[in-house]
Amino acid sequence: MKEEKMVYTEDEQVVRIWDAENVRQAMNRLSYYLSDSDGRRAVNELWVTEPDHRRTASLGVNTGYYKGIGEVARHLVLDKNERLYENLRARAEAEPSIAVNNLNLGYGCADFLTSTTPVIKISDDGRYAQYMGYYLGFTTEGKADQTAESFLLFGRVMADLVKEDDGWKIWHLTYAHDHSVEVASNYADFPVKGWPEPISDRFGTPTEERTVYDGFFGWEFCATDMPKEKYVTYTDKQGYGPDSDIGRPYYER
């Protein structure tokens, strides 16, 4: 049976083009805010605001899901600030001239996160969007002994966005982290399997702990997890939230 494709008026096509562009801009702003360690601004400006959406919002990491906007904020804001303060206190203990205050939060630390090669699909009903890109970046933490830990970051970013009254908002976001490589190390020296993951502690303690993504075995699911060609409207199963197929092997899907 031949599948009937949606037909849009010229005005509707223009709206959908701008929808895709605005989704891209929302995700680009997310990269800027997280690179600036400003998770609070990301949550306040980019995440959903309607009560039902806030209740079902999520943030996925390799080891589980933060569920609900409060838990999303706990990880992006509180967990991040706690790590920065812990680092700052250690720096101040070694160098008393460094004050432990908000002004110095992030002293000697740097993050940079990008989202490249995006694939964006707008649902047929125009209410939802799916986004997939690849993130490349780095993270650096200066230490009290004047050394620094610096890693290059690689992974996928996937998101469900919903069109609220004030524009496109992030609803479900999942970072599928492939691996981290220490700066100045030889990529060829790392094993194919059993790769040491030096930043796994930064995944925190999700609300629901389970394997969402495996950096080795996850590659086989890349095409399956991409935004679907047939995207009539949002469904939990094909989305990127806790009830989706992300991280599930084929026999569970």
Side-chain angles (χ1 to χ4, degrees):
M1 182 181 295
K2 185 177 180 181
E3 182 180 335
E4 295 293 330
K5 292 188 176 181
M6 291 290 292
V7 178
Y8 302 101
T9 66
E10 289 186 355
D11 286 346
E12 288 173 332
Q13 291 180 44
V14 170
V15 170
R16 293 178 70 81
I17 290 172
W18 275 110
D19 281 341
E21 183 61 26
N22 288 327
V23 166
R24 187 195 325 273
Q25 293 301 321
M27 296 303 294
N28 288 347
R29 289 174 63 196
L30 176 67
S31 293
Y32 276 107
Y33 293 168
L34 296 186
S35 295
D36 199 32
S37 297
D38 200 348
R40 189 179 306 278
R41 189 174 181 187
V43 172
N44 288 343
E45 295 184 12
L46 302 180
W47 285 77
V48 288
T49 58
E50 295 181 6
D52 284 346
H53 293 153
R54 290 173 70 85
R55 178 179 55 82
T56 53
S58 67
L59 171 63
V61 294
N62 286 24
T63 54
Y65 283 98
Y66 293 88
K67 300 169 71 173
I69 198 66
E71 286 288 272
V72 172
R74 172 171 72 86
H75 185 58
L76 290 182
V77 182
L78 300 183
D79 287 356
K80 178 67 174 181
N81 284 358
E82 182 179 348
R83 185 179 186 88
L84 292 177
Y85 268 117
E86 182 180 351
N87 180 277
L88 180 59
R89 284 191 290 267
R91 301 295 297 274
E93 186 174 341
E95 178 51 65
S97 64
I98 301 174
V100 179
N101 54 33
N102 286 337
L103 186 62
N104 285 332
L105 194 63
Y107 178 88
C109 300
D111 292 304
F112 182 69
L113 194 67
T114 66
S115 186
T116 68
T117 58
V119 178
I120 299 171
K121 289 288 293 185
I122 307 298
S123 63
D124 289 349
D125 61 12
R127 297 175 58 199
Y128 305 98
Q130 282 193 305
Y131 176 101
M132 176 182 281
Y134 200 79
Y135 74 82
L136 304 165
F138 71 82
T139 182
T140 297
E141 286 189 353
K143 303 298 181 180
D145 61 2
Q146 302 303 312
T147 63
E149 286 185 346
S150 188
F151 300 97
L152 302 176
L153 309 176
F154 303 89
R156 273 188 295 155
V157 54
M158 296 166 277
D160 294 312
L161 295 93
V162 59
K163 198 174 189 179
E164 295 189 334
D165 289 341
D166 57 345
W168 287 98
K169 300 291 185 177
I170 298 170
W171 187 16
H172 307 128
L173 178 72
T174 295
Y175 280 109
H177 183 71
D178 282 328
H179 49 253
S180 309
V181 180
E182 188 173 5
V183 170
S185 63
N186 188 347
Y187 208 164
D189 290 341
F190 288 87
V192 173
K193 188 177 180 181
W195 188 293
E197 184 45 66
I199 70 162
S200 58
D201 61 321
R202 303 190 195 186
F203 298 148
T205 306
T207 318
E208 179 185 339
E209 296 186 71
R210 62 182 172 90
T211 299
V212 174
Y213 183 75
D214 185 301
F216 178 75
F217 295 104
W219 280 107
E220 62 181 300
F221 303 134
C222 184
T224 309
D225 292 338
M226 289 181 68
K228 306 301 183 285
E229 258 329 291
K230 186 177 181 181
Y231 188 32
V232 179
T233 191
Y234 170 81
T235 63
D236 287 336
K237 183 176 175 62
Q238 78 173 67
Y240 293 134
D243 299 318
S244 71
D245 278 340
I246 294 300
R248 303 186 192 279
Y250 291 121
Y251 64 87
E252 288 187 1
R253 294 177 188 235

